[in-house]
Amino acid sequence: MSTTVETARSSVIVAIDGPSGTGKSSTSKAVAAALGLSYLDTGAQYRAITWWMLTNGVDVSDPEQIATAAAKPVIVSGTDPAAPTITVDGVDASGPIRTQEVTSKVSAVSAVPEVRTLITALQRSIAAAATGGIVVEGRDIGTTVLPDADLKIFLTASPEARAARRSGEVKGSDLTATREALIKRDAADSGRKTSPLAKADDAVEVDTTELTLQQVIECVVTLVEGKRVAA
């Protein structure tokens, strides 16, 4: 009896949303590792399909070409928070998907409904297969992908704090340009018709502007543990 109860408690699905630079990835991976949960970076999947299209000559400024090609690549995401992987047609894409070219094009590709439909189905299947529970991070997880998640968290931070963090990740980057790029990305993601970036009504908002990464991680771990006990 106790084993069944413990399994039910541990099989928690956590949705973590928010714009770039709020600490989503670092927080999500650390929380999943600390609690023994699987982990999924949904943004990497959209980056992966964008990279495939750029590599295969698809005009990513043409929504019709994107829609036609959307089902062609096979994207596989590893869910180990200590070493998350992503492959496209069997090729390791973890490095290529982080280039500036992909970053500048991913919003346009991810806004195409056919792309979102396919990737959302993939994300739901991964979450359903994670019998021990999973932390899923992205921009529309709590609102669209997993609206019935056990816990929804929306991370925020000021544009200045986010730009400083992102500039620290990319050597030689210009802080002002980075801030402007983040604001532009926010507008594109929040304004798209299909599954825009938005905070779910029942999400817990955590402003990370004045918090260290460790403080954010501890805050989220506490929220997840509280949800497990409540279950």
PDB file of all heavy atoms in Angstrom, residues 189-212:
ATOM      1  N   ASP A 189       6.842  35.548 -29.504  1.00  0.00           N
ATOM      2  CA  ASP A 189       6.296  34.370 -28.839  1.00  0.00           C
ATOM      3  C   ASP A 189       4.944  34.652 -28.173  1.00  0.00           C
ATOM      4  O   ASP A 189       4.062  33.798 -28.150  1.00  0.00           O
ATOM      5  CB  ASP A 189       7.285  33.851 -27.789  1.00  0.00           C
ATOM      6  CG  ASP A 189       8.528  33.244 -28.414  1.00  0.00           C
ATOM      7  OD1 ASP A 189       8.508  32.964 -29.619  1.00  0.00           O
ATOM      8  OD2 ASP A 189       9.522  33.058 -27.689  1.00  0.00           O
ATOM      9  N   SER A 190       4.788  35.856 -27.637  1.00  0.00           N
ATOM     10  CA  SER A 190       3.539  36.212 -26.964  1.00  0.00           C
ATOM     11  C   SER A 190       2.440  36.559 -27.957  1.00  0.00           C
ATOM     12  O   SER A 190       1.252  36.416 -27.658  1.00  0.00           O
ATOM     13  CB  SER A 190       3.758  37.403 -26.023  1.00  0.00           C
ATOM     14  OG  SER A 190       4.726  37.105 -25.044  1.00  0.00           O
ATOM     15  N   GLY A 191       2.839  37.021 -29.151  1.00  0.00           N
ATOM     16  CA  GLY A 191       1.867  37.485 -30.119  1.00  0.00           C
ATOM     17  C   GLY A 191       1.428  36.464 -31.143  1.00  0.00           C
ATOM     18  O   GLY A 191       0.501  36.722 -31.916  1.00  0.00           O
ATOM     19  N   ARG A 192       2.079  35.284 -31.170  1.00  0.00           N
ATOM     20  CA  ARG A 192       1.683  34.305 -32.182  1.00  0.00           C
ATOM     21  C   ARG A 192       0.279  33.777 -31.893  1.00  0.00           C
ATOM     22  O   ARG A 192      -0.147  33.690 -30.738  1.00  0.00           O
ATOM     23  CB  ARG A 192       2.698  33.155 -32.243  1.00  0.00           C
ATOM     24  CG  ARG A 192       2.779  32.305 -31.006  1.00  0.00           C
ATOM     25  CD  ARG A 192       3.714  31.103 -31.190  1.00  0.00           C
ATOM     26  NE  ARG A 192       3.802  30.362 -29.942  1.00  0.00           N
ATOM     27  CZ  ARG A 192       4.904  30.245 -29.221  1.00  0.00           C
ATOM     28  NH1 ARG A 192       6.030  30.788 -29.632  1.00  0.00           N
ATOM     29  NH2 ARG A 192       4.899  29.551 -28.097  1.00  0.00           N
ATOM     30  N   LYS A 193      -0.414  33.419 -32.957  1.00  0.00           N
ATOM     31  CA  LYS A 193      -1.802  32.975 -32.829  1.00  0.00           C
ATOM     32  C   LYS A 193      -1.912  31.593 -32.186  1.00  0.00           C
ATOM     33  O   LYS A 193      -2.853  31.306 -31.442  1.00  0.00           O
ATOM     34  CB  LYS A 193      -2.473  32.962 -34.210  1.00  0.00           C
ATOM     35  CG  LYS A 193      -2.667  34.352 -34.807  1.00  0.00           C
ATOM     36  CD  LYS A 193      -3.374  34.272 -36.141  1.00  0.00           C
ATOM     37  CE  LYS A 193      -3.595  35.666 -36.723  1.00  0.00           C
ATOM     38  NZ  LYS A 193      -4.269  35.610 -38.046  1.00  0.00           N
ATOM     39  N   THR A 194      -0.967  30.714 -32.503  1.00  0.00           N
ATOM     40  CA  THR A 194      -1.028  29.343 -31.999  1.00  0.00           C
ATOM     41  C   THR A 194      -0.167  29.179 -30.752  1.00  0.00           C
ATOM     42  O   THR A 194       1.046  29.385 -30.802  1.00  0.00           O
ATOM     43  CB  THR A 194      -0.556  28.353 -33.080  1.00  0.00           C
ATOM     44  OG1 THR A 194      -1.307  28.569 -34.275  1.00  0.00           O
ATOM     45  CG2 THR A 194      -0.737  26.913 -32.619  1.00  0.00           C
ATOM     46  N   SER A 195      -0.780  28.834 -29.647  1.00  0.00           N
ATOM     47  CA  SER A 195      -0.078  28.559 -28.383  1.00  0.00           C
ATOM     48  C   SER A 195       0.939  29.629 -28.011  1.00  0.00           C
ATOM     49  O   SER A 195       2.133  29.368 -27.926  1.00  0.00           O
ATOM     50  CB  SER A 195       0.628  27.196 -28.459  1.00  0.00           C
ATOM     51  OG  SER A 195      -0.281  26.172 -28.745  1.00  0.00           O
ATOM     52  N   PRO A 196       0.495  30.861 -27.790  1.00  0.00           N
ATOM     53  CA  PRO A 196       1.447  31.917 -27.436  1.00  0.00           C
ATOM     54  C   PRO A 196       2.046  31.721 -26.056  1.00  0.00           C
ATOM     55  O   PRO A 196       1.501  30.989 -25.229  1.00  0.00           O
ATOM     56  CB  PRO A 196       0.571  33.176 -27.473  1.00  0.00           C
ATOM     57  CG  PRO A 196      -0.797  32.682 -27.135  1.00  0.00           C
ATOM     58  CD  PRO A 196      -0.894  31.339 -27.803  1.00  0.00           C
ATOM     59  N   LEU A 197       3.190  32.383 -25.835  1.00  0.00           N
ATOM     60  CA  LEU A 197       3.799  32.410 -24.513  1.00  0.00           C
ATOM     61  C   LEU A 197       2.828  33.108 -23.574  1.00  0.00           C
ATOM     62  O   LEU A 197       2.452  34.259 -23.797  1.00  0.00           O
ATOM     63  CB  LEU A 197       5.123  33.183 -24.560  1.00  0.00           C
ATOM     64  CG  LEU A 197       5.732  33.639 -23.222  1.00  0.00           C
ATOM     65  CD1 LEU A 197       6.153  32.429 -22.394  1.00  0.00           C
ATOM     66  CD2 LEU A 197       6.919  34.554 -23.467  1.00  0.00           C
ATOM     67  N   ALA A 198       2.400  32.408 -22.523  1.00  0.00           N
ATOM     68  CA  ALA A 198       1.436  32.999 -21.589  1.00  0.00           C
ATOM     69  C   ALA A 198       1.494  32.246 -20.264  1.00  0.00           C
ATOM     70  O   ALA A 198       1.837  31.065 -20.220  1.00  0.00           O
ATOM     71  CB  ALA A 198       0.023  32.933 -22.162  1.00  0.00           C
ATOM     72  N   LYS A 199       1.138  32.947 -19.222  1.00  0.00           N
ATOM     73  CA  LYS A 199       1.082  32.333 -17.901  1.00  0.00           C
ATOM     74  C   LYS A 199      -0.283  31.690 -17.703  1.00  0.00           C
ATOM     75  O   LYS A 199      -1.316  32.329 -17.918  1.00  0.00           O
ATOM     76  CB  LYS A 199       1.320  33.396 -16.825  1.00  0.00           C
ATOM     77  CG  LYS A 199       1.166  32.888 -15.399  1.00  0.00           C
ATOM     78  CD  LYS A 199       1.192  34.041 -14.416  1.00  0.00           C
ATOM     79  CE  LYS A 199       0.795  33.577 -13.023  1.00  0.00           C
ATOM     80  NZ  LYS A 199       0.664  34.696 -12.066  1.00  0.00           N
ATOM     81  N   ALA A 200      -0.297  30.418 -17.327  1.00  0.00           N
ATOM     82  CA  ALA A 200      -1.553  29.732 -17.044  1.00  0.00           C
ATOM     83  C   ALA A 200      -2.204  30.365 -15.814  1.00  0.00           C
ATOM     84  O   ALA A 200      -1.525  30.859 -14.909  1.00  0.00           O
ATOM     85  CB  ALA A 200      -1.291  28.244 -16.794  1.00  0.00           C
ATOM     86  N   ASP A 201      -3.521  30.359 -15.792  1.00  0.00           N
ATOM     87  CA  ASP A 201      -4.255  30.977 -14.684  1.00  0.00           C
ATOM     88  C   ASP A 201      -3.887  30.373 -13.330  1.00  0.00           C
ATOM     89  O   ASP A 201      -3.891  31.063 -12.311  1.00  0.00           O
ATOM     90  CB  ASP A 201      -5.769  30.841 -14.908  1.00  0.00           C
ATOM     91  CG  ASP A 201      -6.253  31.670 -16.088  1.00  0.00           C
ATOM     92  OD1 ASP A 201      -5.559  32.641 -16.469  1.00  0.00           O
ATOM     93  OD2 ASP A 201      -7.332  31.345 -16.629  1.00  0.00           O
ATOM     94  N   ASP A 202      -3.570  29.079 -13.327  1.00  0.00           N
ATOM     95  CA  ASP A 202      -3.267  28.405 -12.067  1.00  0.00           C
ATOM     96  C   ASP A 202      -1.776  28.201 -11.846  1.00  0.00           C
ATOM     97  O   ASP A 202      -1.363  27.376 -11.028  1.00  0.00           O
ATOM     98  CB  ASP A 202      -4.000  27.065 -11.988  1.00  0.00           C
ATOM     99  CG  ASP A 202      -3.725  26.163 -13.187  1.00  0.00           C
ATOM    100  OD1 ASP A 202      -3.164  26.659 -14.199  1.00  0.00           O
ATOM    101  OD2 ASP A 202      -4.059  24.964 -13.120  1.00  0.00           O
ATOM    102  N   ALA A 203      -0.946  28.959 -12.579  1.00  0.00           N
ATOM    103  CA  ALA A 203       0.503  28.829 -12.416  1.00  0.00           C
ATOM    104  C   ALA A 203       1.005  29.684 -11.253  1.00  0.00           C
ATOM    105  O   ALA A 203       0.437  30.730 -10.945  1.00  0.00           O
ATOM    106  CB  ALA A 203       1.213  29.241 -13.700  1.00  0.00           C
ATOM    107  N   VAL A 204       2.076  29.218 -10.623  1.00  0.00           N
ATOM    108  CA  VAL A 204       2.749  29.983  -9.569  1.00  0.00           C
ATOM    109  C   VAL A 204       3.834  30.823 -10.242  1.00  0.00           C
ATOM    110  O   VAL A 204       4.719  30.279 -10.899  1.00  0.00           O
ATOM    111  CB  VAL A 204       3.393  29.052  -8.524  1.00  0.00           C
ATOM    112  CG1 VAL A 204       4.120  29.880  -7.465  1.00  0.00           C
ATOM    113  CG2 VAL A 204       2.355  28.144  -7.888  1.00  0.00           C
ATOM    114  N   GLU A 205       3.748  32.138 -10.100  1.00  0.00           N
ATOM    115  CA  GLU A 205       4.751  33.007 -10.728  1.00  0.00           C
ATOM    116  C   GLU A 205       5.933  33.213  -9.787  1.00  0.00           C
ATOM    117  O   GLU A 205       5.745  33.522  -8.605  1.00  0.00           O
ATOM    118  CB  GLU A 205       4.143  34.362 -11.098  1.00  0.00           C
ATOM    119  CG  GLU A 205       5.119  35.272 -11.834  1.00  0.00           C
ATOM    120  CD  GLU A 205       4.454  36.504 -12.415  1.00  0.00           C
ATOM    121  OE1 GLU A 205       3.295  36.421 -12.871  1.00  0.00           O
ATOM    122  OE2 GLU A 205       5.110  37.568 -12.422  1.00  0.00           O
ATOM    123  N   VAL A 206       7.139  33.032 -10.329  1.00  0.00           N
ATOM    124  CA  VAL A 206       8.363  33.234  -9.549  1.00  0.00           C
ATOM    125  C   VAL A 206       9.225  34.249 -10.286  1.00  0.00           C
ATOM    126  O   VAL A 206       9.709  33.977 -11.386  1.00  0.00           O
ATOM    127  CB  VAL A 206       9.144  31.910  -9.364  1.00  0.00           C
ATOM    128  CG1 VAL A 206      10.431  32.169  -8.582  1.00  0.00           C
ATOM    129  CG2 VAL A 206       8.283  30.863  -8.654  1.00  0.00           C
ATOM    130  N   ASP A 207       9.414  35.428  -9.682  1.00  0.00           N
ATOM    131  CA  ASP A 207      10.259  36.470 -10.275  1.00  0.00           C
ATOM    132  C   ASP A 207      11.701  36.197  -9.863  1.00  0.00           C
ATOM    133  O   ASP A 207      12.042  36.250  -8.686  1.00  0.00           O
ATOM    134  CB  ASP A 207       9.807  37.852  -9.784  1.00  0.00           C
ATOM    135  CG  ASP A 207      10.519  38.985 -10.514  1.00  0.00           C
ATOM    136  OD1 ASP A 207      11.642  38.774 -11.013  1.00  0.00           O
ATOM    137  OD2 ASP A 207       9.950  40.081 -10.592  1.00  0.00           O
ATOM    138  N   THR A 208      12.543  35.902 -10.837  1.00  0.00           N
ATOM    139  CA  THR A 208      13.928  35.499 -10.543  1.00  0.00           C
ATOM    140  C   THR A 208      14.914  36.660 -10.614  1.00  0.00           C
ATOM    141  O   THR A 208      16.122  36.457 -10.462  1.00  0.00           O
ATOM    142  CB  THR A 208      14.388  34.407 -11.533  1.00  0.00           C
ATOM    143  OG1 THR A 208      14.533  34.988 -12.847  1.00  0.00           O
ATOM    144  CG2 THR A 208      13.394  33.267 -11.584  1.00  0.00           C
ATOM    145  N   THR A 209      14.421  37.878 -10.826  1.00  0.00           N
ATOM    146  CA  THR A 209      15.311  39.029 -11.029  1.00  0.00           C
ATOM    147  C   THR A 209      16.347  39.172  -9.924  1.00  0.00           C
ATOM    148  O   THR A 209      17.542  39.357 -10.188  1.00  0.00           O
ATOM    149  CB  THR A 209      14.488  40.342 -11.134  1.00  0.00           C
ATOM    150  OG1 THR A 209      13.530  40.212 -12.184  1.00  0.00           O
ATOM    151  CG2 THR A 209      15.399  41.526 -11.428  1.00  0.00           C
ATOM    152  N   GLU A 210      15.897  39.115  -8.689  1.00  0.00           N
ATOM    153  CA  GLU A 210      16.790  39.351  -7.545  1.00  0.00           C
ATOM    154  C   GLU A 210      17.263  38.055  -6.879  1.00  0.00           C
ATOM    155  O   GLU A 210      17.895  38.099  -5.825  1.00  0.00           O
ATOM    156  CB  GLU A 210      16.073  40.219  -6.501  1.00  0.00           C
ATOM    157  CG  GLU A 210      15.586  41.560  -7.009  1.00  0.00           C
ATOM    158  CD  GLU A 210      16.739  42.483  -7.394  1.00  0.00           C
ATOM    159  OE1 GLU A 210      17.844  42.307  -6.858  1.00  0.00           O
ATOM    160  OE2 GLU A 210      16.526  43.368  -8.245  1.00  0.00           O
ATOM    161  N   LEU A 211      16.956  36.918  -7.495  1.00  0.00           N
ATOM    162  CA  LEU A 211      17.310  35.635  -6.890  1.00  0.00           C
ATOM    163  C   LEU A 211      18.523  35.003  -7.570  1.00  0.00           C
ATOM    164  O   LEU A 211      18.719  35.157  -8.773  1.00  0.00           O
ATOM    165  CB  LEU A 211      16.125  34.661  -6.980  1.00  0.00           C
ATOM    166  CG  LEU A 211      14.813  35.091  -6.323  1.00  0.00           C
ATOM    167  CD1 LEU A 211      13.747  34.028  -6.570  1.00  0.00           C
ATOM    168  CD2 LEU A 211      15.002  35.321  -4.828  1.00  0.00           C
ATOM    169  N   THR A 212      19.311  34.290  -6.788  1.00  0.00           N
ATOM    170  CA  THR A 212      20.383  33.495  -7.373  1.00  0.00           C
ATOM    171  C   THR A 212      19.761  32.239  -7.963  1.00  0.00           C
ATOM    172  O   THR A 212      18.624  31.875  -7.623  1.00  0.00           O
ATOM    173  CB  THR A 212      21.426  33.082  -6.324  1.00  0.00           C
ATOM    174  OG1 THR A 212      20.789  32.200  -5.370  1.00  0.00           O
ATOM    175  CG2 THR A 212      21.996  34.294  -5.598  1.00  0.00           C
TER     176      THR A 212
END
